[in-house]
Amino acid sequence: MQIKNHLAKISWALADKALFILYGFIFLIIIHYTNVDDYGLYSLLVVIHTWIFTISDSFSLQSIIQFGFDEKNQKKVNLISLIIHITFTLSIALIILLLSGILSGLYEPRIGEVAFYLPLLTLAFIPRTFAQKLIYRNQSMLKLFISNAFFFGTTTIYLGYIILTNKHLSFNNLVYSYIFGGIISSVITLFLVKQDLRFSRNGTINIKKIINFNWKTTIIGLLYSFPKQFELIILKFFFSLEIIGLYSAAKTLFRIFEEAISAVTGLLYPSYVKQIESNRMDDAKDLLIKSTSYVFWSFIIISLIIVSPVGTLIFDYIIPDKFNKSMTYFYWFLAMSPFLSFHLFYALFTAMKHLKIILIAEIFSIIIFLIIFLFVSYNNLTNYISFGLMAYNIVLGLFGYFIVQKRLDYKFSYLFRLFNDLKFFFLRIKWLPHNYDASAKQSKKK
């Protein structure tokens, strides 16, 4: 795989994730004008909503990529995926709404506010998430950038207006910004993919084949989302909304790393599927080696900059006092960031349909997560809440590393591929003028 042949896709994918970095600055403004409790409740809403759509992505939308490259089945796959997506997401949201009275007594008195907005958020995001999956299938990263730009732009403008007029952001203000962003982004994204919105009941693929693949990826999705998203929901049983707000703020800061992994995976997975279907396993392995090495060292460099005296000074200045404790959790997260690069191995395993490996890795990692998570929670060790998620990501990463080492002969030296590529790049730059002059002289002689 030649990186230069995919520069446009990579550039727009990076630009898309740069939006999350920019929104990180908006987040810093938000926490200056929001109570910690309100932010904690808002975080619960977002994490429940995200969890629903993460599971639906595995259960319904993943088949758009896995089976959607076949032109004769594309329309039928689109139809089945959309029906399952709508049914699943709305059903879960409505069930939570119906149970909100019971949950208010058993879980959190204000959970009714979360349950009320959940169906509205779901309706706002169904078109956006479906259309974005079509974008990922076509790898149209410019369209993805535009879709997310409208989402972040809408939320930012709305929140900016509220801050200028009220000088304070309530829970309702935060939710409205999320809903408006989802609606505007959905409309724009549907327009961007209007030529791909093709549906039909005709096709050689049957729903049994799709469901047979989907239920496996759904179990993996459930396990994968458990420590990342469900963690916050379970924490509420042990800690106050204030602690939830502080911890959630740290996770939001760390989101730049998780979004980077998401962006790279979004680029890798469709490529892997194509390469494997074309029996180009060597190309898939080379792509895996490059991507892992580049992400691994990028995360190390970024983390070192953040924990440097300059980085620490900047964060101490921009984080409000009421959220200072969030930085303790954030710095712990930075220690695990390089291991996230090993999660990229699982995109190749999924494309190869080696789902059993992923399932075993997830179960093993979650067991470690639960042991640490429950120990910290039961003993009220608030400073170490992040240790459970840290352990999960590290163990999952190392498990993937050892499996790919065994099955694909992945060597430790491959992690240094970035430096070999940089060396080659700079040597080429160095000798280009010389070669160019020599060629010019030969041309003149002729």
Side-chain angles (χ1 to χ4, degrees):
M1 181 231 180
Q2 295 293 320
I3 296 293
K4 64 182 181 181
N5 296 333
H6 300 268
L7 278 178
K9 293 178 184 176
I10 294 172
S11 298
W12 283 115
L14 291 175
D16 176 62
K17 295 312 169 186
L19 291 173
F20 289 89
I21 299 175
L22 291 174
Y23 193 73
F25 291 102
I26 304 301
F27 156 76
L28 294 173
I29 297 174
I30 290 173
I31 60 178
H32 275 84
Y33 293 93
T34 308
N35 295 331
V36 178
D37 286 2
D38 275 353
Y39 187 78
L41 189 66
Y42 171 70
S43 299
L44 281 177
L45 172 61
V46 172
V47 80
I48 294 171
H49 170 259
T50 303
W51 175 76
I52 292 172
F53 278 83
T54 298
I55 302 308
S56 186
D57 182 82
S58 301
F59 187 62
S60 57
L61 301 183
Q62 192 74 355
S63 55
I64 291 176
I65 292 178
Q66 189 66 33
F67 305 106
F69 286 110
D70 188 347
E71 285 288 338
K72 63 179 178 292
N73 288 320
Q74 199 172 85
K75 295 178 182 179
K76 188 173 183 179
V77 170
N78 287 350
L79 179 63
I80 294 172
S81 297
L82 181 59
I83 292 173
I84 297 175
H85 185 48
I86 293 172
T87 304
F88 180 85
T89 53
L90 274 179
S91 296
I92 299 298
L94 290 173
I95 289 172
I96 293 174
L97 177 62
L98 291 173
L99 296 176
S100 60
I102 299 173
L103 293 173
S104 295
L106 297 175
Y107 182 65
E108 161 60 42
R110 296 182 66 186
I111 198 66
E113 298 174 56
V114 170
F116 173 77
Y117 287 115
L118 200 53
L120 299 176
L121 271 178
T122 301
L123 288 171
F125 275 77
I126 285 174
R128 165 183 159 86
T129 48
F130 176 78
Q132 282 197 346
K133 208 64 177 181
L134 298 177
I135 291 175
Y136 273 114
R137 183 180 65 193
N138 300 331
Q139 292 190 292
S140 306
M141 295 301 117
L142 171 58
K143 293 180 180 180
L144 183 67
F145 170 80
I146 295 172
S147 171
N148 286 329
F150 271 93
F151 172 73
F152 288 125
T154 301
T155 56
T156 300
I157 292 170
Y158 177 81
L159 291 174
Y161 172 77
I162 298 299
I163 289 172
L164 289 174
T165 54
N166 293 346
K167 308 298 181 183
H168 174 74
L169 293 173
S170 66
F171 168 74
N172 288 339
N173 295 147
L174 295 174
V175 176
Y176 292 153
S177 72
Y178 210 68
I179 293 175
F180 293 154
I183 292 172
I184 298 300
S185 178
S186 287
V187 172
I188 296 299
T189 312
L190 286 175
F191 175 78
L192 292 172
V193 299
K194 60 182 185 299
Q195 70 278 8
D196 295 308
L197 296 174
R198 299 178 298 164
F199 306 96
S200 174
R201 291 185 295 175
N202 299 322
T204 58
I205 195 169
N206 57 59
I207 191 169
K208 182 179 178 181
K209 184 176 181 180
I210 293 176
I211 294 296
N212 187 48
F213 175 80
N214 284 358
W215 78 262
K216 296 175 183 177
T217 58
T218 301
I219 292 174
I220 293 169
L222 275 167
L223 294 172
Y224 188 72
S225 65
F226 182 79
K228 291 179 177 295
Q229 295 161 6
F230 229 67
E231 173 203 33
L232 208 64
I233 300 172
I234 301 174
L235 277 174
K236 183 61 193 68
F237 283 108
F238 301 95
F239 301 101
S240 65
L241 273 179
E242 180 183 3
I243 296 296
I244 298 300
L246 292 169
Y247 183 60
S248 179
K251 293 183 74 170
T252 302
L253 287 173
F254 190 71
R255 192 176 175 184
I256 177 178
F257 294 91
E258 295 176 335
E259 288 299 333
I261 293 296
S262 175
V264 177
T265 301
L267 288 169
L268 292 179
Y269 181 65
S271 298
Y272 286 151
V273 172
K274 289 180 180 179
Q275 289 164 345
I276 290 170
E277 287 183 351
S278 305
N279 295 316
R280 293 186 289 123
M281 196 61 203
D282 288 341
D283 290 341
K285 184 178 177 180
D286 188 58
L287 177 58
L288 178 74
I289 292 169
K290 283 190 174 185
S291 58
T292 307
S293 176
Y294 289 14
V295 173
F296 180 81
W297 291 105
S298 297
F299 281 7
I300 289 177
I301 293 169
I302 294 171
S303 297
L304 289 174
I305 292 172
I306 292 174
V307 299
S308 69
V310 175
T312 303
L313 183 65
I314 292 173
F315 275 98
D316 286 345
Y317 178 76
I318 60 179
I319 298 295
D321 292 340
K322 57 186 175 182
F323 279 91
N324 269 347
K325 194 172 183 178
S326 298
M327 296 307 297
T328 302
Y329 305 133
F330 178 59
Y331 288 139
W332 279 120
F333 283 148
L334 292 178
M336 73 169 179
S337 62
F339 294 94
L340 292 180
S341 62
F342 298 159
H343 292 194
L344 298 176
F345 296 139
Y346 294 101
L348 180 58
F349 294 154
T350 304
M352 295 170 67
K353 299 181 182 177
H354 291 177
L355 302 182
K356 186 177 179 179
I357 297 173
I358 307 175
L359 185 61
I360 294 170
E362 287 286 355
I363 292 173
F364 184 72
S365 302
I366 285 176
I367 291 172
I368 301 298
F369 160 77
L370 284 173
I371 292 171
I372 297 175
F373 175 82
L374 292 175
F375 177 82
V376 169
S377 299
Y378 274 117
N379 290 281
N380 200 34
L381 303 175
T382 56
N383 289 333
Y384 306 102
I385 292 175
S386 55
F387 277 29
L389 187 58
M390 286 175 61
Y392 166 82
N393 281 309
I394 291 172
V395 171
L396 185 64
L398 289 176
F399 196 100
Y401 174 82
F402 288 123
I403 293 298
V404 80
Q405 190 178 50
K406 181 179 179 181
R407 298 209 173 190
L408 296 177
D409 194 29
Y410 185 94
K411 296 179 174 60
F412 179 75
S413 59
Y414 292 162
L415 283 176
F416 298 87
R417 174 65 177 269
L418 169 65
F419 300 106
N420 292 331
D421 287 357
L422 287 175
K423 180 181 177 182
F424 175 77
F425 175 78
F426 286 119
L427 284 174
R428 187 180 178 191
I429 294 288
K430 180 180 178 181
W431 289 105
L432 269 177
H434 172 77
N435 294 336
Y436 176 79
D437 292 342
S439 300
K441 288 179 181 179
Q442 288 179 0
S443 298
K444 286 181 179 179
K445 287 179 180 180
K446 290 180 182 179

